[in-house]
Amino acid sequence: MADRLSPTSYVVLGTIALRGPSTSYDLKRAVGRSIGYFWHFPHAQLYSEPQRLVELGLLDAETEAQGRRRRTFRLTDAGLDELRAWLAEPTPEHFQMRDIAELKLFFNEVGEPGDVARLAREQVAAHRERIAVYEDMQARYADLDAVAKRMITLRLGLEMEHAALRFWSALLDEVG
């Protein structure tokens, strides 16, 4: 089955596994406050993918009889098995970074004088801001046992942001 599932499929399965029964709106909010910091994808997929996973038997769905008729999705045993199998698989893919600033930096010789310095200043500010957000999250959630295992991802995010800040700050010193 794994060949028919996408990373978004696993985002849906994993988010429901962590937070319990969820509507698509619940998924969108939860992803926006967690995975969305490091895994970018069109959030509209969080409205279509759960139904596909229902059809594959990985989720169950229940629709409200009254009111807004929201659909709540629950992980099935097969869905949990699939998620666990995926988590146990090796990950041979090379680290990918889709950074627009890095792409612009690559083509910098085509640009105007001052573009690199301006880009570096913007990136220094952006990475400082993201570090502040991550450090705030770390301070608020570090002592909560319920999310302790997920804080490992936050540590990685902080390391990457500090590395990017060091790079852009050094570049700014060179060209600024």
Side-chain angles (χ1 to χ4, degrees):
M1 169 142 348
D3 58 345
R4 296 190 306 190
L5 298 184
S6 68
T8 302
S9 305
Y10 293 109
V11 166
V12 170
L13 293 172
T15 302
I16 292 174
L18 289 175
R19 73 177 312 278
S22 304
T23 64
S24 289
Y25 179 74
D26 295 333
L27 292 171
K28 181 178 170 240
R29 287 189 55 196
V31 166
R33 294 187 312 244
S34 60
I35 299 161
Y37 284 103
F38 63 87
W39 188 262
H40 302 283
F41 62 95
H43 287 197
Q45 292 176 355
L46 296 173
Y47 288 88
S48 59
E49 188 62 16
Q51 181 55 43
R52 193 173 84 80
L53 296 173
V54 167
E55 293 165 8
L56 293 172
L58 303 176
L59 295 178
D60 282 329
E62 184 177 308
T63 304
E64 291 177 331
Q66 303 292 324
R68 296 167 62 192
R69 301 184 55 79
R70 290 178 292 210
R71 295 192 81 200
T72 300
F73 300 95
R74 287 175 178 72
L75 197 60
T76 63
D77 289 343
L80 182 57
D81 290 346
E82 178 62 36
L83 179 61
R84 285 180 172 160
W86 175 73
L87 289 169
E89 287 176 1
T91 306
E93 292 88 3
H94 179 68
F95 170 79
Q96 295 180 27
M97 181 171 58
R98 291 175 49 104
D99 180 19
I100 298 296
E102 187 177 3
L103 189 60
K104 287 182 175 185
L105 188 59
F106 181 83
F107 292 113
N108 81 81
E109 63 196 81
V110 180
E112 298 295 326
D115 284 352
V116 172
R118 185 172 36 262
L119 179 64
R121 275 192 298 277
E122 292 167 357
Q123 291 304 302
V124 165
H127 289 289
R128 283 185 177 148
E129 183 178 317
R130 183 56 63 98
I131 288 168
V133 168
Y134 285 178
E135 287 176 343
D136 179 61
M137 291 168 73
Q138 193 171 46
R140 284 186 289 139
Y141 302 117
D143 296 329
L144 297 178
D145 290 339
V147 295
K149 290 183 178 180
R150 282 176 257 162
M151 295 302 286
I152 296 168
T153 308
L154 183 60
R155 277 189 7 226
L156 177 59
L158 268 167
E159 289 293 329
M160 294 174 71
E161 288 297 329
H162 281 293
L165 178 59
R166 283 190 304 274
F167 170 81
W168 289 107
S169 295
L171 182 61
L172 184 57
D173 288 345
E174 291 173 27
V175 300

